[in-house]
């Protein structure tokens, strides 16, 4: 069944793209933290993307992706009115959300879009949400207005100081945790080094810390083992046991090593695709 692209917006031209996709069945079951696995062509690979938003009434889901390799480059060629070949979901365990107290949601780069859905879920559950977002510069920040519409505070960090704090999200997070002893949980979605750094910052404060792992996935239903990771010394499959885990228990070194295992093939695949297109 093809999935029509109803809206397409280049959030960062040529780099980060938002698509609103007609997917009524997925939208009706989607919860914050879920993801989809899609294929762009019948000979292409399956890639996981987080559901950045879902509208059950409109029957749509929103995906936001960074163009990093062959499949995301291929997806980026699709325009409004065209179809994605197949979209499977919602997959993964939804975020555990309950009325727990104030939550800090940290997002980095494209991870801000995924974090936005989780932050919205916490807000709807009655938790005060402080958003902490970061990017290399102000032009790469995403979802500032959307987060501002329900978060009483949106703290911004940019590497070059072009907007907000000059530096990293972890510096903002640390000072916020020093000031506010009531924080019940910190949720982090973004590049692996950022999530690892967030977990290091929160550890001495003893604050529950949830990270969303972006392991390589193939089937997304716990059968292939591609997304294997180690959490608290135990083997976990990010697609069915996660993708969210206790950030203090994740073996980030192993995750980074496994993420890079097909780098040569990925480079060749992208070069071939660029040569053909
Ligand atoms: C649960 C989950 C949710 C994700 N959500 C988003 C999102 O919302 N937006 C976004 O931009 N990216 C997201 N990602 C990452 C996204 O899946 C990869 O960027 C994408 O698969 C890259 O494919 P490619 O062919 O374009 O690049 P490639 O050149 O094939 O790969 C580039 C890098 O992407 C990663 N990657 C490659 N293939 C896969 C795969 N099958 N599964 C997972 N990672 C892979 C590897 O680290 C690889 O080095 C998510 C990953 C997971 C596991
Ligand atoms: S993607 Fe195959 S087991 Fe998780």
């Amino acid at each position: 069944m093809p999935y029509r692209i109803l809206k397409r917006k280049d959030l960062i031209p040529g780099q980060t793209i938002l698509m609103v996709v007609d997917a009524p069945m997925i939208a009706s079951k989607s919860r914050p933290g879920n993801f989809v696995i899609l294929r762009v062509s019948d000979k292409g690979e399956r890639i996981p993307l987080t559901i950045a938003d879902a509208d059950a009434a409109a029957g749509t889901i929103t995906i936001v992706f960074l163009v990093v390799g062959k499949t995301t480059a291929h997806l980026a060629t699709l325009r409004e009115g065209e179809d994605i070949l197949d979209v499977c979901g919602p997959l993964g365990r939804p975020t555990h959300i309950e009325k727990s107290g104030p939550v800090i949601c940290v997002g980095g780069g494209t991870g801000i879009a995924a974090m936005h859905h989780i932050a919205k879920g916490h807000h709807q559950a009655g938790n005060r949400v402080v958003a902490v977002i970061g990017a290399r510069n102000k032009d790469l920040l995403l979802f500032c207005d959307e987060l501002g519409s329900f978060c009483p505070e949106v703290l911004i960090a940019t590497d070059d100081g072009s907007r907000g704090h000059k530096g990293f999200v972890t510096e903002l997070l640390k000072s916020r945790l020093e000031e506010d002893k009531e924080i019940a949980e910190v949720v982090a979605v973004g590049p692996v080094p950022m999530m690892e750094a967030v977990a290091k910052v929160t550890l001495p404060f003893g604050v529950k810390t949830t990270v969303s792992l972006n392991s390589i996935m193939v089937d997304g239903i716990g059968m292939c083992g591609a997304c294997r990771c180690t959490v608290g010394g135990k083997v976990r499959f990010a697609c069915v046991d996660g993708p969210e885990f206790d950030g203090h228990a994740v073996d980030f070194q192993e995750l980074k090593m496994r993420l890079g295992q097909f780098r040569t093939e990925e480079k060749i695949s992208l070069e071939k695709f660029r040569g053909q297109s």
Side-chain angles (χ1 to χ4, degrees):
M1 179 184 149
Y3 291 80
R4 183 135 305 169
I5 299 161
L6 301 177
K7 181 179 161 194
R8 179 208 147 107
K9 190 174 171 196
D10 284 48
L11 298 180
I12 303 166
Q15 190 186 317
T16 304
I17 294 158
L18 175 148
M19 287 179 177
V20 177
V21 181
D22 185 36
M25 297 284 277
I26 300 175
S28 69
K29 301 255 185 260
S30 168
R31 307 265 307 279
N34 284 142
F35 62 94
V36 292
I37 287 197
L38 59 82
R39 279 192 313 161
V40 184
S41 73
D42 58 357
K43 294 202 172 56
E45 66 172 345
R46 298 157 59 83
I47 62 157
L49 294 175
T50 304
I51 300 172
D53 212 348
D55 185 334
T60 59
I61 58 166
T62 301
I63 51 173
V64 176
F65 61 94
L66 183 67
V67 177
V68 284
K70 192 231 162 180
T71 307
T72 46
H74 194 180
L75 184 60
T77 63
L78 300 183
R79 306 286 136 192
E80 270 176 25
E82 293 188 309
D83 295 331
I84 299 173
L85 181 67
D86 49 54
V87 183
C88 173
L91 297 168
R93 285 170 182 261
T95 310
H96 179 79
I97 294 177
E98 59 181 355
K99 181 139 176 47
S100 54
V103 177
I104 300 182
C105 290
V106 185
T110 319
I112 301 170
M115 176 279 263
H116 156 263
H117 201 195
I118 297 169
K120 203 161 134 185
H122 274 292
H123 165 71
Q124 284 164 352
N127 297 324
R128 175 166 60 87
V129 180
V130 177
V132 181
I133 60 174
R136 286 200 309 280
N137 63 58
K138 67 177 174 34
D139 299 326
L140 304 179
L141 289 163
L142 307 173
F143 281 69
C144 296
D145 294 344
E146 289 84 349
L147 286 164
S149 69
F150 61 84
C151 297
E153 286 173 90
V154 180
L155 309 178
I156 295 173
T158 50
D159 294 3
D160 66 355
S162 49
R163 187 162 169 197
H165 170 76
K166 183 176 188 309
F168 297 127
V169 284
T170 40
E171 291 150 14
L172 291 174
L173 173 66
K174 186 165 182 279
S175 52
R176 204 67 183 71
L177 287 171
E178 281 162 353
E179 283 163 23
D180 193 341
K181 301 290 173 210
E182 296 200 327
I183 300 299
E185 184 177 353
V186 171
V187 181
V189 190
V192 175
M194 184 208 88
M195 294 192 287
E196 185 179 15
V198 164
K200 269 195 192 132
V201 165
T202 59
L203 189 61
F205 292 92
V207 177
K208 180 182 173 192
T209 300
T210 304
V211 295
S212 181
L213 300 191
N214 56 339
S215 330
I216 289 185
M217 294 187 181
V218 179
D219 66 347
I221 53 167
M223 302 289 283
C224 71
C227 65
R228 177 168 63 78
C229 50
T230 304
V231 182
K234 294 200 176 110
V235 171
R236 291 277 182 252
F237 292 134
C239 66
V240 285
D241 299 323
E244 291 173 12
F245 293 101
D246 173 359
H248 298 143
V250 169
D251 181 341
F252 285 105
Q253 295 316 312
E254 180 195 56
L255 176 68
K256 282 187 260 187
M257 197 258 298
R258 286 181 64 81
L259 277 172
Q261 64 191 321
F262 300 113
R263 212 148 270 159
T264 308
E265 292 82 358
E266 287 159 359
K267 191 166 170 274
I268 295 168
S269 182
L270 181 61
E271 281 166 3
K272 267 195 189 163
F273 177 74
R274 291 245 152 96
Q276 286 159 8
S277 56

